[in-house]
Amino acid sequence: MPDSLIEQERLRNKIKLVLKVNYVASAIAITFGLVCFFLLDIKEIIPYVLVIFGSLNFINIQFFKLKKNLTLTYNISSILALISALTITLYSGGIHSPFIFMLAIIVFAAYLNTQRNGQVYLNFIFVLVLLIFTQSFPELSFTENVIPTEYRNVFSLISILFSLYLLGNIFGKVLLKTHNSLYTSKKELTIQMYEKEMLLKEVHHRVKNNLQTVSSLLSLQSRSVTERKMKELLKSTQNRVISMAMVHEMLYMRKDISQIEYKSYVQELSEYLIRSIKGLDSKVNLKIDIPDIKLGIDTAIPLGLLINEAVTNALKYGFTDDEEGEIYIALKQELDKQYTLNIGDNGVGFPDTINYKNTKSLGLKLIYNLTRQLKGTIQKDNSKKGTNYIIKFQEVKQQLSPVA
């Protein structure tokens, strides 16, 4: 929606510029033609070309009001201006004619229309200037200066004033106004973006605080529970809450609040789980192989929960008591926002007869459900000791509903 409004505004500005230039150029050309004929005693070619250009260009403007085809109107005006400027330049001194600057203004106007048009007209006018230069050689000349000698300086003055007025008063004003408008818009957008960024940071901070509050409540609740299974259930739930809180905390602390650096997140989460489940004297080593990968919140949270479940299962069931072991987590980016996660341990493992469909383990079910949420596939790697998974998934982009 914003892009559409910007494009409409750009089109309106372009139409306004084209019409203004054409109106002014037509009026000045006709006036200049009459001055040449009646006051400067120029009776050949030049006054007729100026009047005809002004008249045809004015008709072209009226044609645009009927057809609303800006590209056609612009090209007709440019071709008329090009033919007229070339003709007047050839018959008013060739390469020495001050009217030759009108060719440069045509190139300038073409670039304001589109870069492609500007390049086309620039290349073409380069060729025309070379043609005009050939007229300075008597043996190649096929034109003559039709301006009376006594009026050539006056003609030069009017030609330069004509060019300056178009370039300065029309194009210059429009460009300055556009520049100021863009600067003002950029300034307003920068302020709005900063305010929204601060607001989002505050949201992440509050969500993190709320999740930490839930974690604290679960911790307090677990202290009053004596049954081991219930205590473990509350602790597992607390760890899941903390894994989500860590994402919001990292987004709050980062300058770029749209993504988090995933290696530091996985490192912090895994080390917390090892301390939480195995204690400070744990003999479980952590091996992480994650390059500089940044993920958005819609991918980071479900993937973090998945890693939380896999690491928790490894710590609880893969290694008994104070047994030594290793947990391995590797994440690499494939083509087209596709990722591969290798996660596992070298513990005791579990039989292939047990799967997420027939197990009562919530952790195993969550691993498979979260893989589906990431639009991925999961495969158990039986070539290694322990429990190892190969998970292929893609980055999730949350689609926002359009505002009515």
Side-chain angles (χ1 to χ4, degrees):
M1 186 66 178
D3 289 342
S4 176
L5 291 174
I6 292 171
E7 190 60 33
Q8 289 175 15
E9 180 67 21
R10 179 173 174 271
L11 180 60
R12 281 196 296 268
N13 288 336
K14 189 183 288 188
I15 291 172
K16 189 176 179 180
L17 175 60
V18 170
L19 292 180
K20 186 173 183 179
V21 169
N22 283 351
Y23 271 126
V24 172
S26 297
I28 294 178
I30 292 172
T31 304
F32 192 9
L34 295 175
V35 168
C36 287
F37 189 85
F38 291 106
L39 300 180
L40 303 184
D41 199 28
I42 304 172
K43 305 298 182 182
E44 296 181 56
I45 300 175
I46 291 176
Y48 302 104
V49 170
L50 287 167
V51 172
I52 291 171
F53 164 75
S55 302
L56 291 178
N57 204 33
F58 184 77
I59 292 171
N60 187 35
I61 297 171
Q62 307 311 312
F63 180 74
F64 168 77
K65 292 181 178 180
L66 292 175
K67 299 296 182 181
K68 303 295 182 182
N69 190 330
L70 183 63
T71 302
L72 179 61
T73 301
Y74 165 77
N75 283 316
I76 291 174
S77 294
S78 298
I79 292 169
L80 287 172
L82 191 58
I83 294 171
S84 302
L86 177 62
T87 304
I88 294 171
T89 300
L90 287 171
Y91 285 92
S92 61
I95 200 70
H96 302 291
S97 172
F99 209 83
I100 199 170
F101 291 109
M102 290 303 300
L103 296 174
I105 293 177
I106 293 170
V107 175
F108 186 70
Y111 270 113
L112 288 180
N113 188 262
T114 64
Q115 184 175 348
R116 182 176 176 274
N117 281 342
Q119 193 64 48
V120 169
Y121 278 95
L122 176 63
N123 294 334
F124 187 59
I125 287 175
F126 265 132
V127 176
L128 292 182
V129 170
L130 293 175
L131 172 64
I132 294 169
F133 178 70
T134 63
Q135 299 305 293
S136 60
F137 300 100
E139 64 274 15
L140 298 176
S141 177
F142 59 85
T143 62
E144 60 177 341
N145 192 338
V146 299
I147 302 173
T149 306
E150 64 271 23
Y151 292 117
R152 286 179 183 177
N153 288 336
V154 179
F155 178 84
S156 297
L157 175 63
I158 297 174
S159 297
I160 291 170
L161 291 176
F162 186 8
S163 302
L164 280 175
Y165 185 80
L166 284 178
L167 192 59
N169 195 55
I170 306 300
F171 290 117
K173 278 186 178 179
V174 171
L175 286 177
L176 182 61
K177 184 179 178 181
T178 302
H179 172 76
N180 290 335
S181 178
L182 286 173
Y183 176 79
T184 303
S185 299
K186 184 179 179 181
K187 187 177 178 181
E188 291 174 353
L189 284 173
T190 302
I191 294 171
Q192 290 175 10
M193 286 175 64
Y194 177 77
E195 291 174 347
K196 288 181 179 179
E197 185 176 322
M198 291 300 102
L199 179 60
L200 282 172
K201 276 181 174 287
E202 183 62 25
V203 168
H204 285 303
H205 185 56
R206 293 190 181 189
V207 170
K208 184 261 298 184
N209 287 343
N210 289 337
L211 289 171
Q212 285 182 335
T213 301
V214 174
S215 172
S216 299
L217 290 172
L218 290 170
S219 179
L220 288 171
Q221 186 68 50
S222 66
R223 293 175 189 175
S224 62
V225 174
T226 55
E227 188 180 350
R228 187 178 63 85
K229 285 188 176 181
M230 181 59 70
K231 204 175 189 70
E232 288 180 355
L233 178 63
L234 288 172
K235 186 62 177 176
S236 296
T237 304
Q238 182 186 2
N239 289 342
R240 290 172 188 129
V241 171
I242 287 174
S243 74
M244 291 186 287
M246 282 182 180
V247 172
H248 290 282
E249 183 178 20
M250 287 189 167
L251 286 173
Y252 168 70
M253 295 174 64
R254 275 181 61 84
K255 193 171 183 179
D256 180 6
I257 60 173
S258 63
Q259 295 179 316
I260 67 169
E261 189 177 327
Y262 218 64
K263 181 178 181 178
S264 58
Y265 168 72
V266 173
Q267 185 88 35
E268 188 175 335
L269 174 62
S270 302
E271 288 175 354
Y272 162 76
L273 291 172
I274 292 173
R275 291 194 306 270
S276 176
I277 297 172
K278 289 295 185 180
L280 297 175
D281 300 325
S282 170
K283 296 178 181 178
V284 176
N285 293 320
L286 182 64
K287 187 177 180 182
I288 294 177
D289 181 14
I290 300 176
D292 183 20
I293 291 177
K294 297 179 178 65
L295 296 174
I297 188 171
D298 297 316
T299 306
I301 286 182
L303 184 61
L305 286 170
L306 190 155
I307 293 172
N308 175 83
E309 298 305 322
V311 173
T312 299
N313 286 348
L315 293 169
K316 289 171 66 175
Y317 309 116
F319 312 111
T320 58
D321 300 327
D322 295 331
E323 183 182 1
E324 292 185 0
E326 181 181 89
I327 294 175
Y328 176 73
I329 306 172
L331 179 64
K332 64 178 180 179
Q333 184 174 357
E334 310 290 350
L335 297 175
D336 236 8
K337 293 293 182 182
Q338 300 290 323
Y339 296 88
T340 298
L341 172 69
N342 294 85
I343 187 167
D345 62 80
N346 60 354
V348 297
F350 63 88
D352 291 337
T353 54
I354 298 176
N355 57 57
Y356 75 98
K357 293 180 180 178
N358 59 25
T359 185
K360 292 182 180 179
S361 169
L362 177 61
L364 190 58
K365 290 180 182 292
L366 277 173
I367 289 173
Y368 279 83
N369 288 337
L370 288 165
T371 301
R372 282 197 296 269
Q373 185 177 334
L374 290 166
K375 299 178 182 178
T377 59
I378 182 169
Q379 177 184 349
K380 190 178 178 186
D381 187 1
N382 294 318
S383 65
K384 300 177 182 177
K385 181 188 175 185
T387 304
N388 297 276
Y389 297 105
I390 301 172
I391 300 169
K392 295 182 182 292
F393 66 96
Q394 59 186 357
E395 188 166 2
V396 179
K397 295 288 186 183
Q398 188 68 40
Q399 298 294 324
L400 299 175
S401 300
V403 180

PDB file of all heavy atoms in Angstrom, residues 373-392:
ATOM      1  N   GLN A 373       6.475 -27.282  12.307  1.00  0.00           N
ATOM      2  CA  GLN A 373       6.226 -25.838  12.383  1.00  0.00           C
ATOM      3  C   GLN A 373       7.257 -25.064  11.568  1.00  0.00           C
ATOM      4  O   GLN A 373       6.953 -24.008  10.998  1.00  0.00           O
ATOM      5  CB  GLN A 373       6.258 -25.379  13.841  1.00  0.00           C
ATOM      6  CG  GLN A 373       5.878 -23.914  14.027  1.00  0.00           C
ATOM      7  CD  GLN A 373       5.840 -23.514  15.486  1.00  0.00           C
ATOM      8  OE1 GLN A 373       5.619 -24.345  16.367  1.00  0.00           O
ATOM      9  NE2 GLN A 373       6.042 -22.239  15.763  1.00  0.00           N
ATOM     10  N   LEU A 374       8.471 -25.592  11.484  1.00  0.00           N
ATOM     11  CA  LEU A 374       9.537 -24.974  10.701  1.00  0.00           C
ATOM     12  C   LEU A 374       9.500 -25.408   9.234  1.00  0.00           C
ATOM     13  O   LEU A 374      10.430 -25.127   8.481  1.00  0.00           O
ATOM     14  CB  LEU A 374      10.900 -25.330  11.303  1.00  0.00           C
ATOM     15  CG  LEU A 374      11.217 -24.691  12.662  1.00  0.00           C
ATOM     16  CD1 LEU A 374      12.416 -25.383  13.309  1.00  0.00           C
ATOM     17  CD2 LEU A 374      11.491 -23.209  12.506  1.00  0.00           C
ATOM     18  N   LYS A 375       8.422 -26.104   8.859  1.00  0.00           N
ATOM     19  CA  LYS A 375       8.252 -26.596   7.485  1.00  0.00           C
ATOM     20  C   LYS A 375       9.454 -27.444   7.055  1.00  0.00           C
ATOM     21  O   LYS A 375       9.988 -27.308   5.946  1.00  0.00           O
ATOM     22  CB  LYS A 375       8.073 -25.420   6.510  1.00  0.00           C
ATOM     23  CG  LYS A 375       6.847 -24.569   6.807  1.00  0.00           C
ATOM     24  CD  LYS A 375       6.735 -23.403   5.852  1.00  0.00           C
ATOM     25  CE  LYS A 375       5.519 -22.537   6.208  1.00  0.00           C
ATOM     26  NZ  LYS A 375       5.392 -21.357   5.327  1.00  0.00           N
ATOM     27  N   GLY A 376       9.870 -28.310   7.994  1.00  0.00           N
ATOM     28  CA  GLY A 376      11.063 -29.103   7.742  1.00  0.00           C
ATOM     29  C   GLY A 376      10.820 -30.596   7.806  1.00  0.00           C
ATOM     30  O   GLY A 376       9.696 -31.070   7.943  1.00  0.00           O
ATOM     31  N   THR A 377      11.901 -31.327   7.677  1.00  0.00           N
ATOM     32  CA  THR A 377      11.884 -32.796   7.767  1.00  0.00           C
ATOM     33  C   THR A 377      12.908 -33.222   8.804  1.00  0.00           C
ATOM     34  O   THR A 377      13.927 -32.545   9.006  1.00  0.00           O
ATOM     35  CB  THR A 377      12.241 -33.432   6.416  1.00  0.00           C
ATOM     36  OG1 THR A 377      13.552 -32.992   6.013  1.00  0.00           O
ATOM     37  CG2 THR A 377      11.232 -33.039   5.349  1.00  0.00           C
ATOM     38  N   ILE A 378      12.646 -34.354   9.468  1.00  0.00           N
ATOM     39  CA  ILE A 378      13.547 -34.849  10.502  1.00  0.00           C
ATOM     40  C   ILE A 378      13.891 -36.307  10.219  1.00  0.00           C
ATOM     41  O   ILE A 378      13.032 -37.094   9.796  1.00  0.00           O
ATOM     42  CB  ILE A 378      12.916 -34.691  11.908  1.00  0.00           C
ATOM     43  CG1 ILE A 378      13.897 -35.160  12.986  1.00  0.00           C
ATOM     44  CG2 ILE A 378      11.588 -35.415  12.001  1.00  0.00           C
ATOM     45  CD1 ILE A 378      13.453 -34.801  14.388  1.00  0.00           C
ATOM     46  N   GLN A 379      15.138 -36.631  10.428  1.00  0.00           N
ATOM     47  CA  GLN A 379      15.614 -37.995  10.180  1.00  0.00           C
ATOM     48  C   GLN A 379      16.575 -38.380  11.297  1.00  0.00           C
ATOM     49  O   GLN A 379      17.490 -37.635  11.647  1.00  0.00           O
ATOM     50  CB  GLN A 379      16.331 -38.061   8.823  1.00  0.00           C
ATOM     51  CG  GLN A 379      16.915 -39.425   8.502  1.00  0.00           C
ATOM     52  CD  GLN A 379      17.703 -39.403   7.199  1.00  0.00           C
ATOM     53  OE1 GLN A 379      17.644 -38.433   6.455  1.00  0.00           O
ATOM     54  NE2 GLN A 379      18.436 -40.462   6.937  1.00  0.00           N
ATOM     55  N   LYS A 380      16.363 -39.559  11.861  1.00  0.00           N
ATOM     56  CA  LYS A 380      17.261 -40.050  12.901  1.00  0.00           C
ATOM     57  C   LYS A 380      18.508 -40.629  12.238  1.00  0.00           C
ATOM     58  O   LYS A 380      18.427 -41.428  11.315  1.00  0.00           O
ATOM     59  CB  LYS A 380      16.557 -41.104  13.747  1.00  0.00           C
ATOM     60  CG  LYS A 380      17.329 -41.484  15.003  1.00  0.00           C
ATOM     61  CD  LYS A 380      16.562 -42.489  15.839  1.00  0.00           C
ATOM     62  CE  LYS A 380      17.394 -42.868  17.066  1.00  0.00           C
ATOM     63  NZ  LYS A 380      16.759 -43.939  17.850  1.00  0.00           N
ATOM     64  N   ASP A 381      19.680 -40.217  12.733  1.00  0.00           N
ATOM     65  CA  ASP A 381      20.955 -40.665  12.169  1.00  0.00           C
ATOM     66  C   ASP A 381      21.472 -41.852  12.974  1.00  0.00           C
ATOM     67  O   ASP A 381      22.011 -41.686  14.076  1.00  0.00           O
ATOM     68  CB  ASP A 381      21.961 -39.500  12.199  1.00  0.00           C
ATOM     69  CG  ASP A 381      23.256 -39.845  11.484  1.00  0.00           C
ATOM     70  OD1 ASP A 381      23.358 -40.971  10.966  1.00  0.00           O
ATOM     71  OD2 ASP A 381      24.162 -38.983  11.456  1.00  0.00           O
ATOM     72  N   ASN A 382      21.277 -43.042  12.432  1.00  0.00           N
ATOM     73  CA  ASN A 382      21.676 -44.266  13.136  1.00  0.00           C
ATOM     74  C   ASN A 382      23.142 -44.636  12.900  1.00  0.00           C
ATOM     75  O   ASN A 382      23.613 -45.650  13.423  1.00  0.00           O
ATOM     76  CB  ASN A 382      20.777 -45.436  12.712  1.00  0.00           C
ATOM     77  CG  ASN A 382      19.342 -45.237  13.152  1.00  0.00           C
ATOM     78  OD1 ASN A 382      19.091 -44.785  14.283  1.00  0.00           O
ATOM     79  ND2 ASN A 382      18.388 -45.545  12.283  1.00  0.00           N
ATOM     80  N   SER A 383      23.850 -43.846  12.112  1.00  0.00           N
ATOM     81  CA  SER A 383      25.248 -44.164  11.834  1.00  0.00           C
ATOM     82  C   SER A 383      26.170 -43.761  12.982  1.00  0.00           C
ATOM     83  O   SER A 383      27.346 -44.124  12.990  1.00  0.00           O
ATOM     84  CB  SER A 383      25.694 -43.462  10.549  1.00  0.00           C
ATOM     85  OG  SER A 383      25.669 -42.053  10.725  1.00  0.00           O
ATOM     86  N   LYS A 384      25.641 -43.019  13.928  1.00  0.00           N
ATOM     87  CA  LYS A 384      26.449 -42.558  15.059  1.00  0.00           C
ATOM     88  C   LYS A 384      25.924 -43.142  16.356  1.00  0.00           C
ATOM     89  O   LYS A 384      24.763 -43.554  16.460  1.00  0.00           O
ATOM     90  CB  LYS A 384      26.417 -41.029  15.145  1.00  0.00           C
ATOM     91  CG  LYS A 384      26.954 -40.321  13.914  1.00  0.00           C
ATOM     92  CD  LYS A 384      26.809 -38.816  14.073  1.00  0.00           C
ATOM     93  CE  LYS A 384      27.297 -38.081  12.837  1.00  0.00           C
ATOM     94  NZ  LYS A 384      27.093 -36.615  12.948  1.00  0.00           N
ATOM     95  N   LYS A 385      26.799 -43.180  17.349  1.00  0.00           N
ATOM     96  CA  LYS A 385      26.409 -43.644  18.671  1.00  0.00           C
ATOM     97  C   LYS A 385      25.498 -42.613  19.324  1.00  0.00           C
ATOM     98  O   LYS A 385      25.657 -41.414  19.152  1.00  0.00           O
ATOM     99  CB  LYS A 385      27.665 -43.864  19.526  1.00  0.00           C
ATOM    100  CG  LYS A 385      27.354 -44.388  20.934  1.00  0.00           C
ATOM    101  CD  LYS A 385      28.598 -44.392  21.804  1.00  0.00           C
ATOM    102  CE  LYS A 385      28.212 -44.793  23.244  1.00  0.00           C
ATOM    103  NZ  LYS A 385      29.362 -44.708  24.161  1.00  0.00           N
ATOM    104  N   GLY A 386      24.547 -43.109  20.105  1.00  0.00           N
ATOM    105  CA  GLY A 386      23.650 -42.229  20.831  1.00  0.00           C
ATOM    106  C   GLY A 386      22.420 -41.856  20.030  1.00  0.00           C
ATOM    107  O   GLY A 386      21.972 -42.588  19.144  1.00  0.00           O
ATOM    108  N   THR A 387      21.889 -40.683  20.325  1.00  0.00           N
ATOM    109  CA  THR A 387      20.700 -40.173  19.642  1.00  0.00           C
ATOM    110  C   THR A 387      21.091 -38.948  18.831  1.00  0.00           C
ATOM    111  O   THR A 387      21.546 -37.948  19.385  1.00  0.00           O
ATOM    112  CB  THR A 387      19.604 -39.794  20.652  1.00  0.00           C
ATOM    113  OG1 THR A 387      19.302 -40.926  21.461  1.00  0.00           O
ATOM    114  CG2 THR A 387      18.353 -39.323  19.936  1.00  0.00           C
ATOM    115  N   ASN A 388      20.928 -39.057  17.524  1.00  0.00           N
ATOM    116  CA  ASN A 388      21.331 -37.964  16.628  1.00  0.00           C
ATOM    117  C   ASN A 388      20.248 -37.721  15.580  1.00  0.00           C
ATOM    118  O   ASN A 388      19.659 -38.673  15.065  1.00  0.00           O
ATOM    119  CB  ASN A 388      22.652 -38.305  15.939  1.00  0.00           C
ATOM    120  CG  ASN A 388      23.798 -38.456  16.919  1.00  0.00           C
ATOM    121  OD1 ASN A 388      24.419 -37.485  17.306  1.00  0.00           O
ATOM    122  ND2 ASN A 388      24.072 -39.694  17.356  1.00  0.00           N
ATOM    123  N   TYR A 389      20.031 -36.463  15.283  1.00  0.00           N
ATOM    124  CA  TYR A 389      19.005 -36.093  14.308  1.00  0.00           C
ATOM    125  C   TYR A 389      19.610 -35.214  13.208  1.00  0.00           C
ATOM    126  O   TYR A 389      20.513 -34.415  13.459  1.00  0.00           O
ATOM    127  CB  TYR A 389      17.861 -35.320  14.965  1.00  0.00           C
ATOM    128  CG  TYR A 389      17.093 -36.099  16.001  1.00  0.00           C
ATOM    129  CD1 TYR A 389      17.284 -35.847  17.366  1.00  0.00           C
ATOM    130  CD2 TYR A 389      16.177 -37.073  15.625  1.00  0.00           C
ATOM    131  CE1 TYR A 389      16.578 -36.552  18.327  1.00  0.00           C
ATOM    132  CE2 TYR A 389      15.459 -37.784  16.577  1.00  0.00           C
ATOM    133  CZ  TYR A 389      15.668 -37.520  17.922  1.00  0.00           C
ATOM    134  OH  TYR A 389      14.972 -38.229  18.864  1.00  0.00           O
ATOM    135  N   ILE A 390      19.060 -35.382  12.012  1.00  0.00           N
ATOM    136  CA  ILE A 390      19.343 -34.475  10.896  1.00  0.00           C
ATOM    137  C   ILE A 390      18.023 -33.799  10.546  1.00  0.00           C
ATOM    138  O   ILE A 390      17.081 -34.449  10.096  1.00  0.00           O
ATOM    139  CB  ILE A 390      19.898 -35.222   9.673  1.00  0.00           C
ATOM    140  CG1 ILE A 390      21.184 -35.966  10.038  1.00  0.00           C
ATOM    141  CG2 ILE A 390      20.151 -34.244   8.525  1.00  0.00           C
ATOM    142  CD1 ILE A 390      21.693 -36.874   8.929  1.00  0.00           C
ATOM    143  N   ILE A 391      17.971 -32.501  10.776  1.00  0.00           N
ATOM    144  CA  ILE A 391      16.727 -31.749  10.580  1.00  0.00           C
ATOM    145  C   ILE A 391      16.951 -30.696   9.496  1.00  0.00           C
ATOM    146  O   ILE A 391      17.851 -29.861   9.614  1.00  0.00           O
ATOM    147  CB  ILE A 391      16.272 -31.079  11.888  1.00  0.00           C
ATOM    148  CG1 ILE A 391      16.023 -32.148  12.957  1.00  0.00           C
ATOM    149  CG2 ILE A 391      15.018 -30.235  11.652  1.00  0.00           C
ATOM    150  CD1 ILE A 391      15.838 -31.584  14.353  1.00  0.00           C
ATOM    151  N   LYS A 392      16.163 -30.766   8.454  1.00  0.00           N
ATOM    152  CA  LYS A 392      16.231 -29.773   7.381  1.00  0.00           C
ATOM    153  C   LYS A 392      14.974 -28.904   7.479  1.00  0.00           C
ATOM    154  O   LYS A 392      13.859 -29.424   7.570  1.00  0.00           O
ATOM    155  CB  LYS A 392      16.304 -30.446   6.012  1.00  0.00           C
ATOM    156  CG  LYS A 392      17.585 -31.254   5.794  1.00  0.00           C
ATOM    157  CD  LYS A 392      17.614 -31.865   4.400  1.00  0.00           C
ATOM    158  CE  LYS A 392      18.874 -32.715   4.208  1.00  0.00           C
ATOM    159  NZ  LYS A 392      20.101 -31.908   4.189  1.00  0.00           N
TER     160      LYS A 392
END
